[in-house]
Amino acid sequence: MNACDSKIIQLIQSRDEQGIQLLLEHYGGLIKTVCKKNLYHLDSHLDECMNDCLFGIWNNIDKYDAGKNSFKNWICVIAKYQSIDMLRKYQKDIETTVLDKNVVYLDQGLKLHEQVWFDLIKDLSEIDQQMLTMIYLEGYKPEEVANILGHKTSNIYNRMSRAKEKLRLSKEESQ
């Protein structure tokens, strides 16, 4: 561990606010990047997420173990899970779900014509088609889809992400 990390940890453990200032100077950009990556379409909550990360670091500094992980990685883990929690918290409130920034916007009450929808997802695997249809057309939450399909919720989120990326790439290829 470098001297700067040791000083930051020592200041935060002694509840000196200068520790948070040093943390922001050295790792603020990293925290913001990790949060932004996970919050993708919730940029309006980025500051709140960063504040939650700092609060989490402040309250859990005694749980940091230099033998298990570097301070930088520990901070990244806190930022990652805070941003995922925030995404889950606010995702329910989003009135519009963006499937592809340039192509399809689905309002909660609006259903696309079935033929348009199935033409859009026809190149995906059967399970991905079923999963996306359940989430974006039928209004199921990813947790519910996980229970119905017998998968872990994290697996559903990963599959959603990969499927949306495939759709983006196929759209770019067709242009």
Side-chain angles (χ1 to χ4, degrees):
M1 176 181 338
N2 64 38
C4 183
D5 288 353
S6 297
K7 185 173 183 177
I8 292 170
I9 293 167
Q10 179 185 9
L11 288 169
I12 294 175
Q13 283 175 334
S14 64
R15 299 298 188 215
D16 187 341
E17 291 179 16
Q18 187 179 9
I20 293 293
Q21 290 173 347
L22 280 175
L23 178 74
L24 281 172
E25 286 175 21
H26 291 279
Y27 297 110
L30 177 66
I31 294 170
K32 185 175 184 175
T33 301
V34 171
C35 291
K36 195 170 189 168
K37 178 181 182 228
N38 290 305
L39 289 176
Y40 42 94
H41 60 275
L42 289 173
D43 286 338
S44 59
H45 298 289
L46 186 59
D47 289 337
E48 180 184 355
C49 185
M50 287 190 61
N51 288 336
D52 288 350
C53 292
L54 296 175
F55 189 67
I57 293 167
W58 180 267
N59 285 332
N60 295 298
I61 195 70
D62 293 330
K63 295 178 183 167
Y64 169 67
D65 183 358
K68 290 183 179 177
N69 217 342
S70 71
F71 187 59
K72 180 179 178 180
N73 287 344
W74 185 74
I75 290 169
C76 286
V77 169
I78 289 176
K80 176 183 177 184
Y81 287 107
Q82 285 290 346
S83 59
I84 290 171
D85 287 346
M86 183 146 305
L87 179 64
R88 289 179 182 149
K89 177 180 175 183
Y90 288 109
Q91 198 164 22
K92 309 174 215 171
D93 300 335
I94 299 172
E95 291 185 20
T96 303
T97 302
V98 178
L99 180 61
D100 183 313
K101 291 180 182 173
N102 299 320
V103 179
V104 178
Y105 294 87
L106 296 174
D107 291 330
Q108 287 179 338
L110 175 69
K111 291 188 178 183
L112 289 177
H113 187 272
E114 283 186 18
Q115 189 59 44
V116 174
W117 174 253
F118 288 110
D119 283 346
L120 179 68
I121 63 171
K122 70 180 183 242
D123 294 330
L124 299 176
S125 69
E126 186 176 323
I127 187 79
D128 288 347
Q129 289 179 18
Q130 182 181 14
M131 175 195 62
L132 290 177
T133 300
M134 291 174 76
I135 292 169
Y136 290 107
L137 287 183
E138 297 172 6
Y140 286 95
K141 295 179 181 172
E143 295 80 13
E144 295 169 327
V145 174
N147 288 334
I148 292 167
L149 298 178
H151 293 285
K152 292 182 180 180
T153 304
S154 61
N155 181 271
I156 296 298
Y157 280 107
N158 287 337
R159 292 187 78 95
M160 282 174 50
S161 177
R162 289 186 195 117
K164 289 190 286 187
E165 184 62 25
K166 286 178 188 176
L167 291 173
R168 281 187 205 102
L169 290 173
S170 69
K171 182 201 177 288
E172 290 172 4
E173 289 173 0
S174 66
Q175 287 183 347

